[in-house]
Amino acid sequence: MLILKLTNITKEYNSRVILNDINLSCKNCEMIAIKGKSGVGKSTLLNIMAGLERATSGEYYYNEILMNDKSINSLSKFRQANVGYISQHSPMIPELTVLENICVPVWFEKDEEKKKEYMQQIESLSMLFEINNLLDKKINALSGGEIQRAGIIRSILKKPQLIIADEPTAALDDETALMILTHFNFLKSEGAIIIVVTHNDIVSKHCDKTYQLSKEGLLLIS
Ligand SMILES: Nc1ncnc2c1ncn2[C@@H]1O[C@H](COP(=O)(O)OP(=O)(O)O)[C@@H](O)[C@H]1O
Ligand SMILES: [Mg+2]
């Protein structure tokens, strides 16, 4: 079983405490929501779980491997192999087409079989997210919601075990948000761990558990 576990995590920036005594445990086939006021440290917490930042103290175990003292290089390998990171705005290269932007993670793949698999994933996901007719367009021809859907495809095309989403539906209409949640539920049933920071009650209702992050720590609220 795949388990993500945080014990007594703290994070300081220049001696300023951002996260204090955070504890969390989740396993595969689980989707959890994290809520909390702006500035409380939600993105910082996600960055620690995604291996983008290190905690100041405490332990982060992913799959029974202690992540705290991993080098920048091995954290980057961890992210490439395991993590699908979805943020509120998906950064895109405007000179490239939608397909070329989605293909960025495929550039570094040397295994031809895997490459083929990823291209098939792009084909089916772009149909599912209804942007298959836009793949040859330049990015600036798309709406914000369409760009976000393209970004989500790019983040999940390698079928990551750990999906970390930072307010993924903030810029989306309800219909698109629901489309993405339905797919998250599918990925969850396939064994992924999904952690979503959200203010949206529709999103948290789709989650198995909801936590509230505050100065007091991370509390299970439903
Ligand atoms: N790299 C950084 N250096 C210094 N302070 C930071 C850094 N990243 C975030 N912070 C601070 O940490 C606090 C929490 O930020 P963040 O995790 O983005 O909160 P949230 O996502 O809940 O709005 C904020 O006060 C922010 O200014
Ligand atoms: Mg944030």
Side-chain angles (χ1 to χ4, degrees):
M1 187 191 288
L2 175 65
I3 293 180
L4 181 156
K5 197 167 168 62
L6 303 173
T7 42
N8 311 118
I9 289 286
T10 69
K11 178 70 182 177
E12 294 176 13
Y13 287 120
N14 314 316
S15 314
R16 189 177 144 227
V17 178
I18 307 295
L19 298 172
N20 186 27
D21 199 19
I22 302 296
N23 294 284
L24 174 70
S25 174
C26 40
K27 55 183 188 308
N28 48 348
C29 303
E30 213 166 44
M31 173 146 88
I32 69 157
I34 298 176
K35 293 184 162 182
K37 283 189 201 144
S38 170
V40 81
K42 302 180 298 297
S43 297
T44 304
L45 182 59
L46 290 187
N47 288 344
I48 291 171
M49 291 191 268
L52 284 161
E53 286 184 48
R54 286 204 208 87
T56 307
S57 67
E59 283 97 45
Y60 171 24
Y61 284 96
Y62 181 80
N63 221 359
E64 296 181 6
I65 296 166
L66 184 62
M67 305 296 291
N68 296 59
D69 23 276
K70 285 203 170 276
S71 65
I72 299 283
N73 197 17
S74 45
L75 281 181
S76 150
K77 283 192 182 133
F78 160 74
R79 286 200 306 277
Q80 275 180 36
N82 301 287
V83 183
Y85 194 98
I86 299 166
S87 57
Q88 191 172 336
H89 300 288
S90 301
M92 294 285 169
I93 305 166
E95 290 78 18
L96 301 183
T97 65
V98 176
L99 180 62
E100 286 164 342
N101 269 284
I102 295 176
C103 280
V104 169
V106 186
W107 289 353
F108 308 102
E109 184 57 68
K110 293 189 179 74
D111 184 331
E112 287 302 322
E113 275 306 302
K114 276 201 173 152
K115 259 191 183 170
K116 221 188 273 173
E117 201 182 293
Y118 297 154
M119 295 314 289
Q120 281 164 0
Q121 269 289 100
I122 293 175
E123 203 182 316
S124 60
L125 287 172
S126 56
M127 297 233 283
L128 184 71
F129 290 162
E130 296 172 7
I131 60 160
N132 49 314
N133 294 329
L134 304 170
L135 291 177
D136 59 348
K137 299 262 189 302
K138 286 277 163 62
I139 286 297
N140 59 15
L142 269 64
S143 72
E146 288 163 346
I147 294 174
Q148 180 69 334
R149 281 181 259 160
I152 291 174
I153 294 172
R154 183 176 58 189
S155 301
I156 62 177
L157 73 95
K158 290 183 171 181
K159 295 193 182 157
Q161 283 184 319
L162 175 61
I163 294 170
I164 301 231
D166 198 352
E167 307 195 33
T169 61
L172 301 179
D173 56 88
D174 284 355
E175 195 189 342
T176 313
L178 210 57
M179 200 188 274
I180 286 157
L181 278 171
T182 308
H183 193 65
F184 277 5
N185 263 311
F186 167 72
L187 294 171
K188 182 185 108 167
S189 71
E190 295 262 287
I193 294 178
I194 304 180
I195 299 173
V196 194
V197 160
T198 187
H199 295 288
N200 188 335
D201 286 338
I202 302 175
V203 177
S204 51
K205 280 197 185 102
H206 271 78
C207 292
D208 300 300
K209 290 174 186 163
T210 302
Y211 291 85
Q212 177 89 35
L213 180 62
S214 70
K215 286 205 164 57
E216 281 71 49
L218 193 63
L219 276 182
L220 181 66
I221 53 170
S222 74

